[in-house]
Amino acid sequence: MKLKNTINGNETNISLCYRGLSPQALWHSLVEAEIRKLRHLASIASARITLERQRHAKSAFRVLAILEVPGPDFHAEARDYTLRAALLKVVHNLRRQMQSRKNRQLARLKKKARLAALGTASPFIIAGRAAVGRLAGTQCNPNFSRV
C-alpha cells in the first residue's frame, strides 16, 4: 500500500508493506503519526515501512523502516510482542540516529565559527603557531648548558 502524504508543504511518500498481516487503517495512521514526529529532525523525502508478523517466532511482530533523507539514509529494525511496541522501538532508534547526526553537524558549525573567530581556518595552523612560539621563546632547561 503506497500513500502520499503532505506535511508542512513538503511532500513525503510513505510506503507501507505488510507481510503476514492484513492492512488496517489504524496501523496506517499510527505509522503516519510517528513519521510526522520525526520531521523536525531531518527533511524526509520518503519512508519505506515494513510491518511483519511471524507466527512461529517468539517476538511475533517485526518492523523495518528506511527513511530517505539528504545524505545517508536512516534505517532501523525492531521486534516485539505487539506491533505498536515494535514500531515505537524503531521510531526511538531512528530519532536517536537523526539527533546524533544533527548534533554532529551543529558541533562542526560551532567549531568552524570558533576557528573563524581566531582568524584561522585549520586547527593544524593553530598548533603550528603554538609550536613556533615555544621554539622562538627564551625557554631553556636549567639542567642543560647552552654551547
Side-chain angles (χ1 to χ4, degrees):
M1 171 183 265
K2 292 195 182 218
L3 308 164
K4 206 173 232 189
N5 187 11
T6 304
I7 302 172
N8 295 333
N10 295 334
E11 197 171 284
T12 302
N13 293 325
I14 299 175
S15 180
L16 286 175
C17 179
Y18 295 92
R19 292 183 184 159
L21 297 167
S22 57
Q24 291 186 6
L26 173 67
W27 293 337
H28 160 66
S29 61
L30 185 63
V31 168
E32 185 179 354
E34 295 299 329
I35 296 298
R36 188 179 302 126
K37 291 177 186 177
L38 297 175
R39 294 285 300 175
H40 73 280
L41 293 172
S43 176
I44 301 171
S46 68
R48 292 185 312 232
I49 314 291
T50 302
L51 307 175
E52 182 177 354
R53 181 174 183 197
Q54 297 175 337
R55 300 203 184 274
H56 302 292
K58 191 172 184 179
S59 299
F61 293 95
R62 175 179 168 251
V63 176
L64 173 67
I66 300 171
L67 299 182
E68 294 178 9
V69 297
D73 295 344
F74 296 107
H75 55 34
E77 179 181 351
R79 294 177 179 270
D80 211 317
Y81 295 101
T82 65
L83 187 62
R84 181 171 172 77
L87 179 63
L88 291 177
K89 283 182 180 180
V90 163
V91 169
H92 177 72
N93 191 344
L94 289 169
R95 181 178 292 118
R96 185 183 48 77
Q97 291 177 42
M98 295 167 91
Q99 190 64 50
S100 174
R101 184 182 296 176
K102 195 168 191 173
N103 289 342
R104 284 193 314 264
Q105 289 171 344
L106 289 174
R108 223 175 294 129
L109 289 173
K110 286 180 183 179
K111 184 176 180 179
K112 280 185 180 179
R114 259 195 329 266
L115 292 174
L118 292 173
T120 68
S122 169
F124 299 110
I125 294 173
I126 295 170
R129 286 182 183 165
V132 168
R134 283 194 306 266
L135 294 176
T138 57
Q139 301 172 358
C140 60
N141 189 343
N143 296 329
F144 294 104
S145 63
R146 276 198 168 169
V147 179

